[in-house]
Amino acid sequence: MSAVRQFNTRAHKALADSQLQRALAKARSGFVDKRAHAAASEPDFEHMRDQAREVRQRALANLAMCLEQFEQQVLAAGGQVHWAETPDDLRRIVIDICRDSGARAVTKGKSMVGEEAHLNVALEAAGITPWETDLGEYIIQLAKEPPSHIVAPALHKTRGQIEHLFRDAHRLGERALDEVSQLVDEARAVIRERFLNADVGITGANMLIAETGTAVLVTNEGNGDLTARLPRTHIITTSFDRVVPTWDDASKIIRVLARSATGQPITSYTSFFSGPRAGNEQDGPDQFHVVLLDNHRSALLGTEFETMLHCIRCGACMNHCPVYQAVGGHTYNAVYPGPMGAVLSPLLRGAPQDDALPNASSFCGRCEAVCPVRIPLPGLMRKLREREQQQTPAIASRWLLRLHARLSRHPALYRSLTGWGSRALALAAGGRGRLRRIPLLGGWSRERDLPAPQGGSFQQQWQARKGRG
Amino acid sequence: MQSARERILGRIRKASGPGQAASAGTADSQALIAAQPAAQASLRPIDDVPAEFCQQALAAGVELHYCDELAALPAACAKVLDAQARLTVSTAQALAHMHWANSVQPYVRGSIEVGLVQARLGIAETGTACFDSRDVPSGLLFLSDILLVVLDGRHLVDRQESAWQRLGPVGSALHLVTGPSRTADVEQTIQVGAHGPRRLVLFLVGGGLAQVVARHTQPAPSLITLASSP
């Protein structure tokens, strides 16, 4: 089955899934309205977006230097930096650190790079139990599903579905779990014990600051901090493109990140981690590791796709995408869904099924309009489509387009054929003025009628009017 | 054989051209990293820093109070807590030597009823409190059910950039805390108390901010009182 047809099959299933549609409807109004309110109530918001974009451009323009500086500072603080070319390398590095720490259970904060490397599967295979601590990640871990959104991983789940998952996993007896507050309290109690017992904590990073070798972590729940600061070992799984030069630069990103993602001026917690616990500190890890993943990102530098590395992972593009809103994240069958995923997934994974993703767009342009760092997402999708078209053999619709292109270079032939064509269509429509079914275009005409041409072609009418004028 | 580090950095340098030649730690790289484009205009100035701080903190769900001096703090804390609630006070700070109405527990990683901590700075643009891991154990900030934050009214800055300048070097963690812990992972409904504190009570101490805090925390005067004023 072709990639496009597979996508369409999943999309049809998603559209018919009433639970999913109910969950998506809630997300649609929530995210979009909150961002609109945040943007409207901050007079400097457009200015903030320009500043954030400038930071991303400057960071990438000085990338090697920023990374060397970052590494030097982490080492000076007593931490370690590991370089992973592939997801496989990242898995191996993380498992080796866990084994050296004698870890049997690890707490995990949300990390998209961890998802990209399918870290949980590898940890389990190595006999290490991964405990997800972000509520959304915890829910999908129980459901054994991948995330459907980069900020709200369990966005596709309804309250009722979450209650069922908790009842299956927690042995709750008769306790009520009808309210959102009861669900959150239930997860809080279970996960609290895990924070206190984990040997290793694994988190992602929203940014890396070169000047001091600092990892920045942004959360609302506080799970990232408990994951980072209570276990003896803290591992940060991230990609090298997260680096920014200075703390002032990090502030420019922080200002647009939460506003674009959840409509908050800032998240409840923004934490800056620089190395292991110092002498007189009571909390903090003894070991501090940063794992930097490449996974084809370095191949994007200096190419027409470089701006994709500006992405700060706020999720605004998918929140505002009519395709994502209709079919949800799982339809994309990729770690990164929505418009940013439609560009990033084919570039990072390059699997044949990813060819469909840049085509899953109406090119309405809302993703680019809301992107805090103004990534030209439709333009990048268009380039990926062109690339795909050059690589794949032509199909019937492209032959038709080529035929049309030839024909339009011969005006006389074109005119006479369209004249005959419109007369034939009018005849086929009979007295109804419209066609119910069109041969070879069954898919198009299943949902709509084609109005039959009334009278002559545009050019014939133009000629006639000129004669009268 | 080259290491993964060299291969990745090699690809990055090759893609980005000659500008990448400078090696880390040299004066060149320091200057380049710190270089902010001159044309970049700054954000609008925050004229009334305490007022902005109060407004933003309240919007983030912070319960805000004011004390003229540190000596008034125990009485203010007693007012917002149950008499039975047990207090855990961060030991590295001045608070450790004060007397409290509630019983005081030492800090142990586990469930903490009420944490009492002192913030380094407040950032007005978002109503945020900054904590240095050298002053406050990270766990106390996140394991407490209720977090009481003490913040000197003279330690308020307008924006993050000013905070970085004023803080100087910090410990292995700097935590910015803005309101209580929350999640929207169940049907996008905001629920307070995800993993961290369910309540965040902030005491601004000193700095002559009594009126500013009162103006922001008390209900707005009704139309009738407005009409009766000259």
Side-chain angles (χ1 to χ4, degrees):
Chain A
M1 213 183 340
S2 78
V4 171
R5 197 167 298 169
Q6 285 172 9
F7 184 95
N8 289 348
T9 306
R10 289 192 299 271
H12 279 294
K13 249 172 82 182
L15 287 167
D17 182 339
S18 60
Q19 297 262 15
L20 174 67
Q21 288 302 321
R22 207 177 320 152
L24 286 171
K26 290 216 169 176
R28 197 149 48 211
S29 52
F31 279 129
V32 171
D33 294 350
K34 283 175 196 157
R35 181 202 170 272
H37 178 74
S41 52
E42 173 49 69
D44 280 334
F45 187 60
E46 293 307 310
H47 198 115
M48 289 173 175
R49 290 174 70 185
D50 291 333
Q51 291 189 344
R53 180 174 61 168
E54 187 280 325
V55 167
R56 296 302 297 137
Q57 286 168 339
R58 186 155 38 83
L60 289 188
N62 302 287
L63 190 54
M65 207 174 57
C66 286
L67 288 169
E68 282 180 295
Q69 176 120 15
F70 174 79
E71 183 183 42
Q72 254 183 22
Q73 295 294 338
V74 172
L75 290 175
Q80 288 183 55
V81 176
H82 309 261
W83 302 74
E85 289 195 278
T86 64
D88 193 45
D89 293 342
L90 181 133
R91 290 191 288 266
R92 190 174 33 74
I93 292 165
V94 170
I95 287 168
D96 283 350
I97 299 169
C98 289
R99 285 197 173 132
D100 285 348
S101 311
R104 304 178 58 184
V106 303
T107 41
K108 288 184 75 226
K110 199 165 75 63
S111 161
M112 289 312 295
V113 166
E115 293 287 346
E116 194 178 322
H118 302 289
L119 190 52
N120 283 357
V121 180
L123 285 168
E124 278 167 9
I128 301 159
T129 309
W131 285 327
E132 291 292 349
T133 63
D134 172 83
L135 180 55
E137 286 283 344
Y138 178 63
I139 291 165
I140 60 165
Q141 189 181 27
L142 290 180
K144 299 189 172 62
E145 288 175 15
S148 70
H149 190 283
I150 61 169
V151 171
L155 177 129
H156 59 288
K157 290 283 182 220
T158 61
R159 194 189 307 185
Q161 290 173 318
I162 296 167
E163 182 189 340
H164 278 297
L165 288 169
F166 282 10
R167 286 202 184 280
D168 285 348
H170 292 182
R171 296 198 199 95
L172 285 155
E174 296 296 305
R175 254 186 295 158
L177 277 186
D178 309 325
E179 302 294 323
V180 172
S181 61
Q182 291 165 329
L183 288 168
V184 172
D185 279 351
E186 176 60 28
R188 176 187 171 107
V190 169
I191 296 171
R192 176 62 66 93
E193 283 306 306
R194 297 179 173 180
F195 284 130
L196 300 170
N197 293 317
D199 306 303
V200 171
I202 304 176
T203 68
N206 295 85
M207 270 168 284
L208 305 171
I209 305 178
E211 66 174 340
T212 51
T214 299
V216 185
L217 191 62
V218 167
T219 75
N220 269 320
E221 298 184 3
N223 66 309
D225 295 273
L226 289 164
T227 303
R229 301 294 290 175
L230 297 192
R232 291 187 307 274
T233 303
H234 180 197
I235 307 173
I236 294 164
T237 54
T238 187
S239 54
F240 64 72
D241 53 316
R242 298 295 99 203
V243 77
V244 298
T246 67
W247 282 62
D248 283 3
D249 292 328
S251 297
K252 313 271 189 291
I253 305 290
I254 291 167
R255 281 198 186 100
V256 295
L257 180 55
R259 284 188 170 94
S260 302
T262 56
Q264 297 165 277
I266 192 169
T267 49
S268 298
Y269 303 112
T270 303
S271 296
F272 299 76
F273 303 124
S274 315
R277 180 168 62 97
N280 55 349
E281 293 177 355
Q282 290 184 69
D283 285 341
D286 295 325
Q287 282 195 46
F288 181 83
H289 297 272
V290 184
V291 189
L292 299 174
L293 177 67
D294 182 341
N295 194 23
H296 300 108
R297 287 171 174 82
S298 58
L300 304 182
L301 291 165
T303 72
E304 54 191 354
F305 298 109
E306 182 179 297
T307 48
M308 195 57 230
L309 297 180
H310 291 169
C311 175
I312 62 169
R313 308 287 190 268
C314 69
C317 59
M318 55 197 78
N319 295 339
H320 291 76
C321 173
V323 176
Y324 181 96
Q325 287 175 351
V327 299
H330 284 165
T331 300
Y332 293 80
N333 196 26
V335 171
Y336 301 100
M340 60 77 69
V343 176
L344 197 58
S345 299
L347 294 172
L348 296 189
R349 188 164 64 170
Q353 73 260 30
D354 295 333
D355 287 346
L357 302 181
N359 291 294
S361 167
S362 65
F363 277 8
C364 70
R366 286 177 83 189
C367 49
E368 183 175 0
V370 297
C371 176
V373 290
R374 307 190 198 278
I375 299 171
L377 287 159
L380 297 179
M381 279 187 263
R382 194 173 289 118
K383 283 176 183 145
L384 282 167
R385 284 187 189 186
E386 279 164 16
R387 201 174 74 165
E388 183 221 338
Q389 301 249 318
Q390 281 158 10
Q391 286 165 359
T392 51
I395 48 169
S397 60
R398 293 236 308 283
W399 284 113
L400 278 173
L401 275 177
R402 276 181 206 172
L403 189 69
H404 183 263
R406 283 257 176 101
L407 202 56
S408 52
R409 265 176 254 145
H410 303 281
L413 186 61
Y414 188 93
R415 269 201 298 277
S416 84
L417 276 176
T418 48
W420 281 105
S422 55
R423 270 193 291 273
L425 283 173
L427 207 65
R432 293 184 302 275
R434 53 184 62 243
L435 286 142
R436 285 272 165 79
R437 256 185 290 278
I438 308 159
L440 302 178
L441 291 173
W444 189 88
S445 62
R446 195 181 307 137
E447 319 271 332
R448 356 167 153 65
D449 291 348
L450 178 74
Q454 312 280 325
S457 73
F458 170 79
Q459 280 168 339
Q460 285 166 345
Q461 291 185 44
W462 180 256
Q463 286 298 333
R465 269 165 209 247
K466 247 186 11 194
R468 263 184 287 166
Chain B
M1 205 184 87
Q2 274 191 325
S3 67
R5 175 187 186 276
E6 279 145 21
R7 283 193 297 270
I8 293 172
L9 282 173
R11 283 197 292 271
I12 292 171
R13 280 201 203 91
K14 206 172 144 195
S16 335
Q20 298 285 310
S23 66
T26 66
D28 272 2
S29 76
Q30 294 283 359
L32 195 50
I33 277 183
Q36 302 284 334
Q40 188 183 318
S42 56
L43 302 175
R44 82 191 140 82
I46 296 174
D47 297 324
D48 191 341
V49 168
E52 182 79 10
F53 179 84
C54 292
Q55 197 183 326
Q56 294 296 336
L58 289 165
V62 172
E63 300 168 38
L64 201 56
H65 300 273
Y66 177 76
C67 299
D68 270 325
E69 48 179 0
L70 213 52
L73 195 60
C77 286
K79 253 192 231 171
V80 300
L81 293 178
D82 280 348
Q84 286 78 33
R86 285 172 297 185
L87 209 56
T88 301
V89 186
S90 70
T91 50
Q93 300 180 301
L95 304 172
H97 311 294
M98 295 173 64
H99 293 284
W100 308 95
N102 294 68
S103 70
V104 175
Q105 309 269 302
Y107 170 62
V108 180
R109 292 177 184 190
S111 284
I112 297 163
E113 284 183 40
V114 185
L116 176 61
V117 293
Q118 194 162 0
R120 274 284 179 98
L121 281 183
I123 303 174
E125 68 174 318
T126 46
T128 299
C130 306
F131 299 92
D132 186 329
S133 56
R134 292 175 299 185
D135 306 338
V136 180
S138 301
L140 187 50
L141 297 174
F142 295 92
L143 294 168
S144 300
D145 265 9
I146 301 174
L147 189 66
L148 308 184
V149 175
V150 180
L151 173 59
D152 191 319
R154 291 156 301 187
H155 293 177
L156 297 178
V157 297
D158 56 354
R159 293 191 181 274
Q160 283 182 25
E161 288 85 342
S162 309
W164 311 152
Q165 208 164 21
R166 186 128 160 209
L167 283 168
V170 292
S172 66
L174 180 79
H175 299 285
L176 304 194
V177 178
T178 313
S181 155
R182 69 192 76 207
T183 182
D185 274 344
V186 181
E187 294 189 342
Q188 275 64 56
T189 307
I190 291 181
Q191 181 64 44
V192 163
H195 294 295
R198 300 169 195 275
R199 283 175 68 192
L200 195 142
V201 187
L202 191 141
F203 300 94
L204 276 170
V205 179
L209 303 180
Q211 284 193 339
V212 181
V213 175
R215 191 160 38 143
H216 284 88
T217 51
Q218 276 157 20
S222 70
L223 285 173
I224 295 163
T225 47
L226 277 179
S228 65
S229 62

